[in-house]
């Protein structure tokens, strides 16, 4: 049953074209087919000065069943492409885990039996390859991930036919950010600014303190590594609704990396930066200098690992890190070899973070 | 040594009350060796293994001395389980021992016909004596010996025991045997029957048995010209004679002057005692590569006068020795060595006999309560490798000429990696980890064989687990070192030390062999890889076909057939890459081109015709000129363009701009 959705029809057309090209190579040209997939990774990620974000370079990887190693990969891509087509034809939607299950099988005979997928990462890679081959993000073909982003504050969404007011009066809970973004529409935003924090624990603390009501803010978190829906929501609030966006993450290279996902993008999703990155977002904290400025007691600080130090040294060299302020911050970290979580402010009292630290920082930046 | 030399020493101590008397005794050789049996390798667990070793080695030496093709029968059986007694018997067709010498040859330690400068298995005159002494020490049974020496031509029978405290034989019985009593069938030979006490736990017993099996198997590899029969309680096996060729026997040679010391020089002079010979004469007559001129030079250089030999002082003699050490002599000859040789080792490697133990099930007898039992059974298995190679080097180690021989056998019946070490044709079974051969195998890089570590790992037998890539291959490596002075690491003579440049020569041998077999091994690996890849295609093609045929309208049978053919051709081309191309030239004529262009296929309602350029590329690939399949960068090679001008290549190139022709099915 072919899909009636126009955008879905386009995806299906692209998938069928891939199948057709492969068949032409095999049956007519009698040569091994090649799927040229744009390369994803650090060596094909380019910093764009004009866009102020990480973008994908022009390197591609040829996946062809000509080499032993790539026979399985090539097959996996085609099987996944066919599964996506089926999903769209049936007008269903699925998570990436669902796609993994839908395509599970074994290959080989009794003697050499092996799994078609080595694990879900394998099938996630194949879904990524379909995005890259068709040039369409997976949300557009109804493959989503489990929601984990959260939002609280004076904003109203329409999800499908349902209107959701995220300004939950009870202060007791937040709204999950739906991952099927095609069905999500922002209909009303009354807040003055958007504050993104790294973790849900910190978000809960801030919400409970009445911060939203006091400063008329929208609170968001990606619960660690933000999913695409969260990043897109941040971008929409900043660019379509013209709300300033500030980001707070832990004072360690890892947290800094997460804050930067919002502001400049990431290597693994560099091909989709145009939809995901908010270059005007401001990363306000937690700065390494804040550890000392706010007298975080020594027991609440953590020793930096070798991995942290390597990461920091790496970051120092990146073109987007040449700002004097940031270089200074990284030097502080490399000198002291100490890191700190936002949660460490709780040592100063449960309300300290929401009532002292954050307002000070926001005032400094001129947001409130 | 009946009267013990006892010396009393009163230590001149200040306190007479604590005066200690130290007694100095002279010990008989036999007593010393029995007390220190571990020196000769006779420890409780190894006693039977050592006995087998010594008897086989004596027999092989005896045969080789007279260049007789050896036939050895060995038997090791349990005599009395309760008292841990074993009977060991060994018979050979060697030169035998003259009847008057039999008792000392069997019983008196350090009595041997082998104290000469040539390569032999046994050297010390200890082995057989050890068996006799142990038999005397632990049992009431005499040692039985039958000997028929090639000089005497009659067979003598002895019953012997050793007087351990005096190192002298006790002859209990002696007679000449004839007719029915005769045990030795041939013209000469030697047969020993000994009863030994060996208390072994079940585990050490199995261990001992497998070591003996291994020892006999390995002996047979380097002695393929010998028939070896081995009988045990678990059955009897025979190692056939696979060649009539025997190695050149070692000749006795004079010592080389570079190896001279005061003792050897004095011994040489002693030999000419009372003969009024000059030192010059003695030197040239007692050492090899020492001409009379050279001897004169040396005496002159040592600044001593040329007088009668027995008139020299030790000081003068040591001067001579010093000069000899610093004089260049011709390299020592190797006549006194007896390497296995390429022909014999290759024979041994190409039909490698090994003893395997299987379990024979004895069913329970009906009507009795006897349960079913599994009885071990030994049989012989012949391993045939798919290829072998041999190399050797001659070098000087420890001032002695040394020959290094190396062989490798690869593939075929060989299941996994194994290192064989031999010293003067004796297999070394213990202490492999500390042997120089072990280091050599680890240090010669496997890429000399033309394969990478990765490839070795990919094609390894899945059951084999090792960090060293070479040990993943079905490969047997053989090292044989022969010298009159093997640099053993320990007194147990089980591993060889990396003395001087020995390791360098061994490595050079092994590298040479790796190079020799590289082509063949690569070919085999390619075949294996090709088979694996075809399997992979077989498994994955159906998945691709079903994904495509569910998505678009297509003849799935034809698609599968096309993909399979392409995959098979592709594997074949990859296999040939680098090797000689066997496929016939496939000229693209303009007619053929036009024909192929018309071979259109309908895919998803659209008729698609092939590209002219692609046809040319495919043809080039068929000839093996393009090994890599289509990639965006693929170009027609220049050589092809020149060579096949008549093949309307120009037309092909023109066709490039036209691209893929598409015709709508409805037209």
């Amino acid at each position: 049953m072919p899909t009636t959705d126009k955008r879905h029809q386009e995806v299906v057309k692209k998938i069928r074209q891939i199948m057709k090209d492969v068949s032409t190579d095999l049956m007519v040209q009698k040569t091994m087919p090649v799927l040229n997939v744009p390369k994803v990774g650090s060596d094909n990620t380019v910093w764009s000065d004009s866009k102020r974000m990480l973008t994908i370079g022009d390197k591609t990887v040829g996946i062809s069943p000509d080499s032993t190693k790539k026979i399985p990969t090539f097959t996996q891509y085609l099987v996944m492409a066919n599964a996506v087509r089926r999903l769209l034809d049936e007008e269903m939607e699925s998570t990436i885990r669902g796609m993994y299950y839908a395509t599970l099988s074994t290959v080989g005979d009794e003697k050499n039996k092996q799994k078609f997928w080595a694990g879900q990462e394998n099938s996630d890679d194949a879904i990524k390859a379909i995005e890259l081959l068709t040039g369409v993000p997976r949300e557009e073909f109804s493959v989503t991930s489990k929601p984990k982003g959260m939002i609280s504050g004076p904003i109203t969404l329409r999800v499908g036919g349902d209107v959701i007011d995220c300004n939950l009066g009870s202060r007791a809970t937040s709204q999950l950010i739906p991952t099927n973004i095609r069905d999500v529409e922002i209909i009303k935003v009354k807040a003055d600014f958007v504050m993104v924090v790294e973790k849900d624990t910190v978000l809960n603390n801030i919400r409970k303190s009445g911060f939203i009501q006091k400063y008329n803010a929208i609170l968001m978190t990606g619960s660690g590594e933000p999913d695409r829906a969260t990043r897109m929501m941040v971008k929409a609030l900043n660019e379509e609704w013209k709300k300033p966006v500030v980001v707070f993450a832990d004072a360690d290279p890892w947290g800094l990396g997460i804050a930067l996902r919002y502001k400049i993008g990431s290597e693994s999703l560099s091909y989709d930066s145009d939809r995901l990155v908010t270059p005007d977002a401001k990363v306000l904290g937690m700065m390494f200098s804040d550890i000392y400025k706010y007298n975080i007691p020594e027991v609440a600080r953590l020793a930096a690992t070798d991995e942290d130090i390597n990461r920091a040294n790496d970051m120092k060299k990146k073109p987007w890190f040449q700002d004097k302020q940031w270089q200074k911050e990284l030097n502080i970290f490399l000198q002291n070899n100490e890191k700190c979580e936002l949660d460490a402010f709780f040592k100063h009292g449960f309300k300290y973070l929401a009532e002292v630290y954050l307002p000070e920082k926001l005032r400094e930046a001129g947001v409130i | 040594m009946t009267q013990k030399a006892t010396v009393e020493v009163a230590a001149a101590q200040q306190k007479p009350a604590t005066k200690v008397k130290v007694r100095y005794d002279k010990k008989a050789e036999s007593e010393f060796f029995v007390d220190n049996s571990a020196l000769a390798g006779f420890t409780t667990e190894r006693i039977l293994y050592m006995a087998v070793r010594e008897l086989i080695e004596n027999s092989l030496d005896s045969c080789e001395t007279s260049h007789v093709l050896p036939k050895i029968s060995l038997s090791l059986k349990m005599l009395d389980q309760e008292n841990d007694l074993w009977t060991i018997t060994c018979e050979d067709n060697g030169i035998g021992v003259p009847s008057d010498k039999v008792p000392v040859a069997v019983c008196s330690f350090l009595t041997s016909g082998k104290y000469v400068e040539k390569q032999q298995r046994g050297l010390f005159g200890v082995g057989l004596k050890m068996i006799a002494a142990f038999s005397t020490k632990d049992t009431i049974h005499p040692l039985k010996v039958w000997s028929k020496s090639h000089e005497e031509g009659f067979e003598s029978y002895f019953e012997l025991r050793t007087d351990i405290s005096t190192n002298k034989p006790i002859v209990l019985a002696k007679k000449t045997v004839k007719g029915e009593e005769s045990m030795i069938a041939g013209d000469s030979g030697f047969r020993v029957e000994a009863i030994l006490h060996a208390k072994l736990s079940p585990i050490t017993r199995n261990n001992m048995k497998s070591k003996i099996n291994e020892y006999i198997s390995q002996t047979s590899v380097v002695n393929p010209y010998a028939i070896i029969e081995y009988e045990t309680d678990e059955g009897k096996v025979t190692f056939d004679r696979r060649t009539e060729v025997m190695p050149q026997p070692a000749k006795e040679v004079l010592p080389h002057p570079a190896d001279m010391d005061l003792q050897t020089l004095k011994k040489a002079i002693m030999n000419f005692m009372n003969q009024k010979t000059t030192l010059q004469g003695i030197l040239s007559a007692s050492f090899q590569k020492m001409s009379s001129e050279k001897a004169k030079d040396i005496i002159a250089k040592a600044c001593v006068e040329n007088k009668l030999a027995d008139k020299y002082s030790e000081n003068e003699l040591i001067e001579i020795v010093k000069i000899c050490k610093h004089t260049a002599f011709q390299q020592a000859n190797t006549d006194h060595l007896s390497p296995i040789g390429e022909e014999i080792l290759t024979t041994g490697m190409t039909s490698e006999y090994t003893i395997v133990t299987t379990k024979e099930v004895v069913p329970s007898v009906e009507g009795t309560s006897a349960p079913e039992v599994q009885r071990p059974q030994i049989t012989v298995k012949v391993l045939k490798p798919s290829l072998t190679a041999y190399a050797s080097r001659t070098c000087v180690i420890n001032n002695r000429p040394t020959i290094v021989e190396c062989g490798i056998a690869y593939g075929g019946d060989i299941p996994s990696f194994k290192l064989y070490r031999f010293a003067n044709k004796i297999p070394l079974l213990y202490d492999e980890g500390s042997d120089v051969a072990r280091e050599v195998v680890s240090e010669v890089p496997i890429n000399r064989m033309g394969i990478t570590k990765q490839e070795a790992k990919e094609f390894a037998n899945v059951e084999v687990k090792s960090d060293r890539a070479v040990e993943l291959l079905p490969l047997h490596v053989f090292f044989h070192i022969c010298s009159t002075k093997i640099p053993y690491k320990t007194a147990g003579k089980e591993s060889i030390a990396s003395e001087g440049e020995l390791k360098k020569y061994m490595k050079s041998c092994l590298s040479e062999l790796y190079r020799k077999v590289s082509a063949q091994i690569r070919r085999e690996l390619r075949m294996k890889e090709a088979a694996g890849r075809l399997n992979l295609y077989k498994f994955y093609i159906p998945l691709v076909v079903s994904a495509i045929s569910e998505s678009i309208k297509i003849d799935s049978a034809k698609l599968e057939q096309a993909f399979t053919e392409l995959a098979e051709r592709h594997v074949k081309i990859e296999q040939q890459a680098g090797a000689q191309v066997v496929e016939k030239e496939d000229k693209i004529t303009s007619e053929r081109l036009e024909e192929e262009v018309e071979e259109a296929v309908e895919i998803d309602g659209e008729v698609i015709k092939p590209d002219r350029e692609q046809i040319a590329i495919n043809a080039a690939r068929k000839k093996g000129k393009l090994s890599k399949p289509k990639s965006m960068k693929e170009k027609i090679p220049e050589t092809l363009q020149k060579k096949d001008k008549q093949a309307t290549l120009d037309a092909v190139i023109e066709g490039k701009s036209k691209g893929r022709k598409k015709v709508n099915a409805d037209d």
Side-chain angles (χ1 to χ4, degrees):
Chain A
M1 188 49 115
T3 170
T4 49
D5 185 306
K6 270 238 165 104
R7 273 193 286 180
H8 285 173
Q9 275 174 353
E10 255 168 56
V11 175
V12 170
K13 202 175 154 197
K14 280 180 175 166
I15 288 173
R16 286 169 56 130
Q17 189 57 49
I18 293 167
M19 303 291 191
K20 243 164 115 172
D21 288 346
V22 168
S23 310
T24 307
D25 279 342
L26 288 171
M27 296 172 79
V28 188
Q29 310 293 5
K30 298 196 166 37
T31 183
M32 281 293 179
V34 181
L35 299 173
N36 283 307
V37 187
K39 192 169 186 186
V40 174
S42 56
D43 59 340
N44 196 31
T45 302
V46 186
W47 170 252
S48 161
D49 267 333
S50 59
K51 290 183 175 174
R52 292 182 293 145
M53 59 178 74
L54 296 171
T55 55
I56 191 160
D58 49 14
K59 287 181 192 160
T60 60
V61 186
I63 302 292
S64 165
D66 72 328
S67 88
T68 314
K69 274 185 197 144
K70 289 186 178 162
I71 297 169
T73 318
F74 177 83
T75 310
Q76 286 167 357
Y77 288 4
L78 289 191
V79 167
M80 184 54 80
N82 184 43
V84 168
R85 181 202 55 81
R86 264 178 19 223
L87 179 78
L88 296 180
D89 278 352
E90 288 173 27
E91 297 190 315
M92 283 296 287
E93 59 177 60
S94 165
T95 59
I96 49 177
R97 186 153 185 79
M99 293 310 279
Y100 164 68
Y101 273 106
T103 49
L104 267 182
S105 66
T106 53
V107 278
D109 51 21
E110 283 305 310
K111 257 167 76 189
N112 301 299
K113 207 169 227 164
Q114 44 183 285
K115 283 182 176 163
F116 184 65
W117 303 113
Q120 201 197 316
E121 310 79 54
N122 247 229
S123 108
D124 292 355
D125 285 347
I127 293 170
K128 219 169 184 182
I130 307 301
E131 293 185 286
L132 290 161
L133 279 169
T134 56
V136 179
R138 60 174 160 77
E139 289 82 0
E140 300 274 316
F141 49 75
S142 298
V143 176
T144 58
S145 51
K146 190 182 86 184
K148 60 176 198 159
M150 291 198 270
I151 186 164
S152 265
I155 174 172
T156 312
L157 308 176
R158 184 185 289 127
V159 183
D162 308 321
V163 175
I164 297 174
D165 184 356
C166 301
N167 201 7
L168 306 157
S170 73
R171 295 183 187 180
T173 187
S174 305
Q175 172 65 38
L176 276 173
I177 301 168
T179 49
N180 49 336
I181 42 169
R182 277 198 63 197
D183 300 329
V184 180
E185 196 188 336
I186 301 172
I187 48 177
K188 203 160 48 174
V189 181
K190 282 192 186 155
D192 294 331
F193 67 99
V194 178
M195 187 163 86
V196 183
V197 294
E198 182 183 338
K199 285 178 295 192
D200 44 342
T201 52
V202 174
L203 180 121
N204 290 342
N205 171 278
I206 302 170
R207 186 192 59 228
K208 193 78 185 167
S209 75
F211 188 92
I212 294 171
Q213 293 73 10
K214 193 166 172 191
Y215 297 103
N216 194 27
I218 293 173
L219 282 180
M220 290 179 73
T221 183
S223 305
E225 189 80 37
D227 62 15
R228 300 192 205 188
T230 311
R231 296 188 209 189
M232 285 166 75
M233 179 83 77
V234 171
K235 188 177 173 74
L237 287 169
N238 180 254
E239 291 176 7
E240 286 165 34
W241 296 84
K242 308 292 174 207
K243 302 294 173 195
V245 170
V246 296
V247 185
F248 285 90
D250 292 342
D252 65 38
W254 181 266
L256 191 51
I258 286 179
L260 290 173
R261 298 279 185 278
Y262 297 100
K263 189 171 166 65
I264 62 164
S266 61
E267 281 166 357
S268 58
L269 284 173
S270 60
Y271 61 91
D272 210 8
S273 286
D274 280 338
R275 289 186 327 132
L276 302 176
V277 177
T278 316
D280 285 329
K282 287 185 186 132
V283 179
L284 293 186
M286 171 181 185
M287 297 297 171
F288 293 110
S289 56
D290 292 344
I291 302 177
Y292 311 100
K293 198 168 149 195
Y294 287 89
N295 286 324
I296 301 294
E298 236 169 273
V299 282
R301 302 177 203 164
L302 302 166
T305 62
D306 290 348
E307 199 189 336
D308 288 331
I309 292 163
N310 290 342
R311 253 179 119 102
N313 278 321
D314 254 16
M315 279 180 173
K316 260 186 87 169
K317 291 179 209 137
K318 299 285 188 192
W320 55 89
F321 243 103
Q322 294 315 311
D323 177 66
K324 261 189 200 149
Q325 189 61 32
W326 277 117
Q327 289 284 328
K328 214 172 118 195
E329 285 294 329
L330 284 175
N331 285 336
I332 291 175
F333 170 70
L334 289 169
Q335 269 159 26
N336 296 293
N337 285 337
E338 280 179 325
K339 55 183 186 179
C340 186
E341 290 181 305
L342 277 170
D343 315 55
F345 283 107
F346 297 167
K347 184 83 182 120
H348 288 324
F350 289 112
K351 288 188 172 173
Y352 188 89
L353 178 67
E355 294 186 350
V356 182
Y357 177 72
L358 291 176
E360 261 187 54
K361 279 281 168 181
L362 291 167
R363 239 170 256 128
E364 263 173 40
V367 180
I368 55 173
Chain B
M1 226 107 331
T2 39
Q3 337 97 305
K4 279 176 189 160
T6 305
V7 183
E8 287 184 17
V9 176
Q13 300 276 332
Q14 282 172 343
K15 289 173 193 168
T18 58
K19 211 184 251 178
V20 176
K21 277 183 188 170
V22 180
R23 245 180 39 180
Y24 287 88
D25 293 341
K26 171 85 174 74
K27 211 172 208 176
E29 292 90 335
S30 45
E31 208 169 9
F32 170 79
F33 277 109
V34 169
D35 288 351
N36 300 287
S37 56
L39 275 187
F42 280 72
T43 55
T44 322
E45 324 78 75
R46 289 201 200 167
I47 183 165
L48 295 175
Y49 165 72
M50 287 306 296
V52 166
R53 249 188 85 159
E54 297 294 352
L55 291 173
I56 288 189
E57 281 159 22
N58 281 347
S59 292
L60 285 170
D61 273 343
S62 171
C63 293
E64 274 172 36
T65 309
S66 56
H67 218 61
V68 175
L69 286 168
K71 179 173 188 286
I72 298 167
S73 306
L74 181 83
S75 146
L76 176 64
K77 286 184 169 177
M78 192 91 181
L79 176 70
D80 179 349
Q81 190 157 8
E82 226 165 87
N83 295 310
D84 301 305
L85 295 183
W86 300 74
T87 310
I88 182 165
T89 315
C90 183
E91 182 183 331
D92 64 54
N93 59 342
I95 53 173
V97 177
S99 54
D100 57 327
K101 295 271 186 277
V102 168
V104 281
V106 173
C107 297
S108 296
F109 279 88
L110 306 184
T111 308
S112 170
K114 296 179 179 177
Y115 296 144
V116 290
E117 184 72 15
K118 70 169 182 177
Q119 176 195 333
Q120 288 171 111
R121 293 175 177 84
L123 282 179
F124 302 140
V126 170
L128 182 54
K129 287 84 174 168
M130 212 67 175
I131 298 171
F134 266 74
S135 181
T136 305
K137 179 169 84 86
D138 296 330
T139 77
I140 54 160
H141 304 278
L143 202 77
K144 294 177 183 167
V145 175
W146 294 260
S147 177
K148 189 176 184 182
S149 88
H150 63 316
E151 299 146 12
E152 294 172 340
F154 58 84
E155 187 177 333
S156 320
Y157 169 74
F158 292 88
E159 287 183 9
L160 301 167
R161 281 170 80 80
T162 307
D163 184 346
I164 293 172
S165 60
T166 63
N167 193 28
K168 282 189 180 142
I170 302 166
V171 182
L172 299 176
K174 177 184 173 177
K175 61 177 174 182
T176 306
V177 287
K178 266 186 243 164
E180 289 208 342
E181 282 184 309
S182 170
M183 297 295 275
I184 296 164
D187 295 338
S188 64
F190 194 77
R191 178 185 168 94
V192 188
E193 187 184 307
I195 290 162
L196 289 171
H197 170 88
K199 193 171 168 57
L200 301 170
S201 71
I203 291 168
T204 47
R205 182 181 313 168
N206 279 337
N207 199 9
M208 176 274 294
K209 279 181 182 165
S210 67
K211 278 288 180 200
I212 292 177
N213 290 348
E214 183 68 32
Y215 175 80
I216 295 173
S217 303
Q218 291 202 15
T219 299
S220 136
V221 171
V222 290
N223 298 283
Y225 46 86
I227 299 173
I228 302 174
E229 291 170 345
Y230 176 47
E231 196 176 351
T232 68
D233 296 318
E234 276 114 50
K236 185 177 172 180
V237 289
T238 304
F239 293 76
D240 299 327
R241 178 175 291 146
R242 282 149 277 159
T243 174
E244 303 269 306
V245 183
M246 277 179 83
Q248 277 303 312
K251 292 188 191 110
E252 196 181 329
V253 295
L254 298 171
H256 191 264
D259 204 24
M260 183 195 292
D261 54 28
L262 191 56
Q263 173 62 23
T264 44
L265 185 53
K266 277 166 94 176
K267 208 170 162 186
I269 292 170
M270 286 286 285
N271 287 340
F272 289 90
M273 210 52 162
N274 305 325
Q275 286 179 28
K276 308 256 180 233
T277 322
T278 60
L279 183 61
Q280 189 186 343
I282 293 177
L283 283 180
S284 61
S286 309
F287 294 92
Q288 54 167 298
K289 311 296 175 197
M290 178 79 87
S291 62
S292 193
E293 290 298 301
K294 201 129 197 176
K296 198 175 165 187
D297 279 0
I298 285 166
I299 294 166
K301 270 189 201 159
C303 300
V304 290
E305 37 179 322
N306 198 2
K307 52 191 172 190
L308 280 182
D310 48 356
K311 301 279 184 275
Y312 287 92
S313 70
E314 282 203 343
N315 265 339
E316 285 171 320
L317 291 179
I318 202 111
E319 217 35 56
I320 303 270
V321 172
K322 250 192 235 165
I323 297 296
C324 281
K325 289 260 186 260
H326 294 108
T327 308
F329 292 95
Q330 264 181 300
Q331 204 181 324
N333 59 31
T334 53
D335 293 348
H336 64 303
L337 297 181
S338 170
I340 303 164
E342 175 159 12
E343 195 182 345
I344 296 170
L345 185 58
T346 304
T347 306
M349 289 191 295
T350 44
S351 52
E352 206 181 292
Y353 278 56
T354 32
I355 299 180
V356 286
T357 308
T358 49
K359 290 259 157 72
E360 188 195 35
V361 179
V362 182
S364 53
V365 184
E366 260 179 74
T368 64
S369 59
E372 182 186 282
V373 282
Q374 289 198 331
R375 205 164 51 191
Q377 180 74 30
I378 55 170
T379 45
V380 143
K381 194 176 150 197
V382 185
L383 299 181
K384 288 199 189 301
S386 65
L387 71 148
T388 64
Y390 171 91
S392 76
R393 300 280 185 278
T394 304
C395 50
V396 178
I397 307 292
N398 266 347
N399 279 332
R400 306 280 176 116
T402 301
I403 294 177
V404 173
E405 294 185 284
C406 181
I408 57 178
Y410 177 87
D413 300 330
I414 292 179
S416 57
F417 180 86
K418 192 164 163 189
L419 175 63
Y420 291 77
R421 301 168 293 135
F422 301 93
N424 291 344
K425 298 183 198 157
I426 303 174
L428 305 181
L429 298 189
Y430 290 92
D431 254 357
E432 183 185 301
S434 56
D435 195 285
V436 60
R438 174 80 269 164
E439 289 172 36
V440 169
V441 168
S442 311
E443 286 171 25
V444 176
I446 189 172
N447 58 26
R448 294 276 153 79
M449 228 184 276
I451 55 170
T452 61
K453 274 187 179 180
Q454 195 52 41
E455 281 173 311
K457 276 181 190 145
E458 267 173 46
F459 298 110
N461 187 338
V462 277
E463 288 147 35
V464 182
K465 295 244 170 350
S466 172
D467 295 338
R468 301 195 191 92
V470 66
E471 291 180 15
L472 301 168
L473 297 174
L475 181 72
H476 284 183
V477 176
F478 302 81
F479 272 113
H480 177 220
I481 314 289
C482 45
S483 162
T484 47
K485 199 172 175 187
I486 301 261
Y488 287 113
K489 241 180 175 162
T490 55
K493 297 211 284 184
E494 286 295 356
S495 64
I496 296 173
S498 167
E499 182 88 31
E501 293 188 305
L502 181 60
K503 190 160 150 189
K504 188 186 103 187
Y505 286 102
M506 289 170 80
K507 279 170 95 166
S508 122
C509 269
L510 191 61
S511 296
E512 181 188 327
L513 294 186
Y514 279 0
R515 272 196 305 280
K516 275 187 185 165
V517 298
S518 66
Q520 175 81 21
I521 287 182
R522 283 176 61 105
R523 204 171 308 134
E524 265 192 34
L525 287 182
R526 264 209 302 275
M527 302 275 281
K528 225 168 164 182
E529 187 190 5
R533 188 185 285 198
L534 275 178
N535 243 349
L536 210 57
Y537 279 122
K538 201 175 87 198
F539 297 156
Y540 277 95
I541 286 176
L543 291 169
V544 173
V545 169
S546 80
I548 293 178
S549 57
E550 279 178 32
S551 288
I552 58 175
K553 252 199 299 180
I554 198 159
D555 184 335
S556 58
K558 268 191 184 159
L559 176 65
E560 180 153 1
Q561 191 197 347
F563 200 169
T564 308
E565 279 171 13
L566 194 63
E568 279 166 5
R569 209 177 70 208
H570 178 64
V571 169
K572 210 162 120 198
I573 290 166
E574 284 272 292
Q575 235 177 301
Q576 287 167 353
Q580 282 279 306
V581 181
V582 279
E583 201 158 331
K584 258 178 26 190
E585 285 275 304
D586 183 9
K587 291 222 171 79
I588 324 161
T589 60
S590 33
E591 278 160 56
R592 273 242 4 238
L593 188 69
E594 288 315 313
E595 260 172 47
E596 287 200 15
V597 166
E598 289 310 310
E599 287 171 8
V601 179
E602 188 175 331
I603 294 171
D604 207 22
E606 195 178 323
V607 175
I608 304 175
K609 287 184 173 183
D611 246 15
R612 282 154 189 270
E613 185 192 10
Q614 191 62 52
I615 293 170
I617 290 172
N618 288 349
R621 191 176 296 137
K622 258 190 185 169
K623 287 185 222 170
K625 297 217 162 125
L626 288 175
S627 64
K628 272 254 141 274
K630 173 181 162 179
S631 79
M632 297 331 244
K633 289 164 205 140
E634 191 174 65
K635 290 273 177 299
I636 302 164
E638 235 173 89
T639 49
L640 179 64
Q641 290 187 21
K642 274 182 210 150
K643 207 173 156 199
D644 298 330
K645 265 199 179 128
Q646 76 280 31
T648 66
L649 228 272
D650 296 338
V652 174
I653 309 240
E654 270 173 35
K656 188 158 65 173
S657 53
K658 292 177 194 163
R660 196 173 278 174
K661 274 192 178 176
K662 287 179 186 171
V663 188
N664 203 306
D666 300 333
D667 291 350

